[in-house]
Amino acid sequence: MAVGISALLDFSGVSSSKYHLASTWELILGEAITIGKMTKIAMSSHQFAHIQDEENEDCNVLGGATAFALLSESHISVHTWPELKKVVVDVFTCGSSDNLTSLINFLIHRVVHTNLTVTQVQRGDTPE
Amino acid sequence: MAVGISALLDFSGVSSSKYHLASTWELILGEAITIGKMTKIAMSSHQFAHIQDEENEDCNVLGGATAFALLSESHISVHTWPELKKVVVDVFTCGSSDNLTSLINFLIHRVVHTNLTVTQVQRGDTPE
């Protein structure tokens, strides 16, 4: 028995700098939660500075944004790479698949991009 | 070009109630972040009450825990279902795969379980 679904959205060609701002993603996640009929427990976001992090030089997050919403129905996370024009969104929900579809469709229309890969993974159906 | 890896860990047979406590997961995530040589930006957790949520009756999170760590290298999330003895952990990192392997091995040994499925997904390699 699965406990939920992970929807992994990988956007490319996200050129507008606004989609690489934590403040934009706080707004978008708020809208997405309403569209998906979900309940927010907590939200957190961070704007990365435009400085090289020597300890994590293989991480292309410099100058990007990251945001996370903890939900009664699980979570939504966002990470952005402005220098690569890429945005990665994870939605994990134990709620209805109709609400998940509505939320994904909202994000697809809300984020201006050139290409998108959506991977869905059934979660928690590992037998004992 | 990928921007990172999502490792989706689905534990079953997690019988001990301690693994369904938010306070336990705050500790485990702290240890995991150290083992994975990652940097915490923020952490949030929530303990669900043992009451039926009529609006989300298809969500088996009642009485379970949820926790999230936002990292410089992306994020770790946890959701638990004590009534199903299931725990689902997502690790998304743009850091080194060695550190990800260390972190996953730590979680496998730290969480007493009977079975586990690990799914790894390369992220952000959608062409423009």
Side-chain angles (χ1 to χ4, degrees):
Chain A
M1 177 187 167
V3 294
I5 301 172
S6 283
L8 312 178
L9 284 73
D10 293 4
F11 292 95
S12 63
V14 184
S15 306
S16 170
S17 59
K18 72 178 176 183
Y19 297 114
H20 300 280
L21 293 175
S23 55
T24 300
W25 279 102
E26 292 226 357
L27 282 175
I28 294 177
L29 289 190
E31 294 165 10
I33 291 165
T34 303
I35 296 283
K37 297 178 182 168
M38 295 171 175
T39 307
K40 182 176 78 174
I41 294 171
M43 195 184 294
S44 183
S45 71
H46 182 78
Q47 188 73 46
F48 289 94
H50 290 266
I51 3 171
Q52 185 71 38
D53 180 343
E54 289 179 5
E55 290 190 359
N56 297 301
E57 57 189 12
D58 47 353
C59 284
N60 291 308
V61 288
L62 305 168
T66 185
F68 184 80
L70 200 59
L71 310 171
S72 291
E73 300 80 5
S74 298
H75 74 257
I76 310 175
S77 67
V78 182
H79 305 288
T80 88
W81 287 262
E83 73 282 21
L84 300 172
K85 302 178 185 173
K86 293 189 175 185
V87 171
V88 163
V89 182
D90 293 7
V91 184
F92 178 20
T93 180
C94 58
S96 89
S97 59
D98 284 352
N99 290 344
L100 176 62
T101 303
S102 301
L103 194 156
I104 290 173
N105 286 338
F106 162 75
L107 289 173
I108 291 171
H109 288 93
R110 184 71 170 76
V111 180
V112 178
H113 63 282
T114 58
N115 213 342
L116 170 67
T117 305
V118 180
T119 308
Q120 293 204 21
V121 183
Q122 289 278 345
R123 303 300 304 276
D125 50 5
T126 310
E128 272 198 43
Chain B
M1 178 187 167
V3 294
I5 301 172
S6 285
L8 312 177
L9 285 74
D10 294 5
F11 292 95
S12 64
V14 184
S15 306
S16 171
S17 59
K18 72 178 176 183
Y19 297 114
H20 300 280
L21 293 176
S23 54
T24 299
W25 279 101
E26 292 226 356
L27 282 175
I28 295 177
L29 289 189
E31 294 165 9
I33 291 165
T34 303
I35 296 284
K37 297 177 182 168
M38 295 172 175
T39 306
K40 182 176 78 174
I41 294 171
M43 195 185 294
S44 183
S45 71
H46 182 77
Q47 187 73 47
F48 289 93
H50 290 266
I51 357 169
Q52 184 72 39
D53 179 344
E54 290 179 5
E55 289 189 358
N56 297 301
E57 57 189 11
D58 47 354
C59 285
N60 292 307
V61 288
L62 305 167
T66 184
F68 183 81
L70 201 58
L71 310 172
S72 290
E73 301 79 5
S74 296
H75 75 256
I76 309 175
S77 68
V78 182
H79 304 287
T80 89
W81 287 262
E83 73 282 21
L84 299 172
K85 301 178 185 172
K86 293 188 174 184
V87 170
V88 163
V89 182
D90 293 8
V91 185
F92 178 21
T93 180
C94 58
S96 89
S97 58
D98 284 351
N99 289 344
L100 176 61
T101 302
S102 301
L103 194 156
I104 291 173
N105 286 338
F106 163 76
L107 289 173
I108 291 171
H109 289 93
R110 184 70 171 77
V111 180
V112 178
H113 62 282
T114 59
N115 213 343
L116 169 67
T117 305
V118 180
T119 308
Q120 293 205 22
V121 183
Q122 289 278 347
R123 304 301 303 277
D125 51 6
T126 310
E128 274 198 40

